Amino acid sequence: MADSRDEPLVLGIETSCDETGVGVVRGTTLLADAIASSVDEHARFGGVVPEVASRAHLEAMVPTIERALKEAGVAASDLDGIAVTAGPGLAGALLVGVSAAKAYAYALGKPLYGVNHLASHICVDQLEHGALPEPTMALLVSGGHSSLLLATDITSDVRPLGATIDDAAGEAFDKIARVLDLGFPGGPVIDRYAREGDPGAIAFPRGLTGPRDAPYDFSFSGLKTSVARWIEAKRAAGEDVPVRDVAASFQEAVADVLTRKAVRACRDEGVDHLMIGGGVAANSRLRALAQERCEAAGIRLRVPRPKLCTDNGAMVAALGAEMVARDRAASDWDLSADSSLPVTDPHVPGRSAHVPAPAAAHHHHDHDHVHEVAKDNLYS
Ligand code: KG4
Ligand code: ZN
């Protein structure tokens, strides 16, 4: 292996939701992972309030960048690039990160890489388990997303196989926790109660697992409704709600569907590595069941430690470093935040890099021609 100092030194900024994350990596080595979270400010609303998140990012941005550089023990002038989440995420929150990244990159004279939040969630595993095997199947489960992605080249080829058609997996945890009066975010507390409950106590439905259902899509709203109704019925009958059994049975339904579909996707696509990322990857039952089913199917499971699974800046830096290492085009200075950036765009290269001038000219010509024809028709 080459001297690690030859590997790209990249700072990454993540502000797509409620975490202001700034990470520094050298290649696949984590040097710093600084986080400022506004989660406490959202708790009383039971969910993330975009305006509150944006303001918190603005206040935390510069101190968090300084903290990350200090923790990494590097000078900003030594960086080989600055990476930032360009999307998807909350528009106002993304904008703060993109503006900061541009300002630092421009002032320091470093290339800027606008990268995809979902691809970053996958790439972060390099910091834990070394170079990502390609292809890798990725199950991303958080408060904002539940998707199955096939990453053939993490910098340029990420294909969505399936996604939730309603609630995200984490959202379901948060909603059930609210019905049970357990507070926000719901995942960690449900996980805790479930440890003392019986996962087979109540047979909650497994959404979209019928023979005619989309094989890789997820649905959690039916499960959520079913759990809520079950709890209401208990309360209406004046009976105690067995919180631990409800938590364990609900969690079992989610873990069962997620792992079943992920393993099936690996088999169908002939992929022998599965990574699980996003906040819900911290779930103890999901991890255990995934391990069990992967082992049975001959699939190697990779799950980063919880701190790298939830939103953070190191994951953005990890993908940025990969962009530098593979000579991907940097972003333009007019890079903008894109709240619905498609997962098929692992990064946002400068326009000059992907729209060759001759093709653009040709296209204009065709367009003019169509316009003329339309006019002719109009007047004939
Ligand atoms: O990735 P993340 O920090 O933020 C985004 O939503 O992008 O994920 C947060 C989500 C929340 O819905 C939270 O309830 C869930 O991850 N979560 C968990 C656990 N820890 C966090 N869900 C299930 N079990 C956990 N142990
Ligand atoms: Zn995320």
Side-chain angles (χ1 to χ4, degrees):
M1 201 175 143
D3 184 333
S4 75
R5 273 166 303 182
D6 293 342
E7 294 181 299
L9 180 68
V10 173
L11 178 134
I13 299 175
E14 152 64 35
T15 63
S16 69
C17 193
D18 59 342
E19 246 96 48
T20 311
V22 182
V24 180
V25 308
R26 194 184 292 280
T28 59
T29 307
L30 175 66
L31 300 183
D33 182 15
I35 291 268
S37 176
S38 60
V39 68
D40 295 342
E41 294 174 53
H42 307 288
R44 68 193 173 100
F45 301 104
V48 175
V49 184
E51 285 304 314
V52 174
S54 304
R55 173 156 295 271
H57 286 311
L58 208 51
E59 284 165 6
M61 185 53 66
V62 174
T64 311
I65 290 176
E66 283 171 0
R67 190 149 57 85
L69 287 170
K70 194 168 166 212
E71 197 180 306
V74 300
S77 56
D78 293 337
L79 295 169
D80 294 307
I82 305 228
V84 61
T85 304
L90 301 170
L94 289 167
L95 190 62
V96 178
V98 169
S99 305
K102 278 191 207 174
Y104 274 84
Y106 190 80
L108 294 163
K110 308 290 181 187
L112 171 73
Y113 295 87
V115 303
N116 189 299
H117 180 80
L118 300 180
S120 302
H121 266 305
I122 304 174
C123 196
V124 74
D125 193 50
Q126 302 207 127
L127 305 177
E128 179 102 39
H129 298 112
L132 198 73
E134 289 172 337
T136 283
M137 191 65 68
L139 171 67
L140 292 189
V141 274
S142 75
H145 23 262
S146 310
S147 356
L148 260 177
L149 307 169
L150 178 56
T152 300
D153 178 329
I154 194 60
T155 62
S156 67
D157 186 359
V158 178
R159 182 154 61 90
L161 297 184
T164 180
I165 60 166
D166 40 57
D167 295 344
E171 231 177 326
F173 274 92
D174 295 337
K175 285 177 180 171
I176 295 306
R178 191 154 63 203
V179 177
L180 290 170
D181 295 319
L182 299 178
F184 172 85
V189 59
I190 292 213
D191 199 343
R192 217 155 50 234
Y193 274 93
R195 274 170 225 249
E196 293 158 21
D198 173 7
I202 312 150
F204 289 128
R206 270 61 171 161
L208 287 187
T209 49
R212 277 187 298 277
D213 288 321
Y216 312 129
D217 281 341
F218 305 106
S219 168
F220 296 107
S221 91
L223 169 63
K224 182 191 69 192
T225 307
S226 166
V227 177
R229 288 225 180 100
W230 194 92
I231 294 169
E232 276 160 25
K234 278 277 167 196
R235 284 178 180 154
E239 294 174 34
D240 284 343
V241 176
V243 176
R244 291 170 175 77
D245 285 349
V246 172
S249 302
F250 158 75
Q251 178 174 278
E252 190 66 19
V254 176
D256 178 24
V257 174
L258 290 175
T259 54
R260 213 192 297 179
K261 295 201 169 203
V263 168
R264 178 168 174 184
C266 289
R267 278 202 180 127
D268 291 353
E269 297 287 335
V271 173
D272 56 10
H273 284 86
L274 171 68
M275 80 80 56
I276 308 184
V280 181
N283 186 265
S284 59
R285 181 58 185 149
L286 175 62
R287 285 176 173 244
L289 194 56
Q291 187 60 52
E292 196 181 294
R293 290 182 172 173
C294 281
E295 250 165 48
I299 297 163
R300 289 284 295 275
L301 178 67
R302 295 168 56 123
V303 191
R305 60 184 173 273
K307 197 176 178 229
L308 294 179
C309 281
T310 53
D311 291 350
N312 64 82
M315 68 189 206
V316 178
L319 184 53
E322 210 50 54
M323 295 294 169
V324 176
R326 298 191 197 188
D327 269 330
R328 299 293 177 217
S331 298
D332 284 334
W333 293 118
D334 65 355
L335 171 73
S336 51
D338 181 351
S339 60
S340 53
L341 184 69
V343 65
T344 44
D345 294 347
H347 90 304
V348 185
R351 281 157 307 164
S352 51
H354 67 207
V355 183
H362 184 70
H363 179 76
H364 269 120
H365 189 80
D366 277 348
H367 183 77
D368 288 346
H369 180 67
V370 169
H371 190 70
E372 290 300 328
V373 171
K375 250 192 333 204
D376 284 347
N377 286 344
L378 198 65
Y379 299 130
S380 60

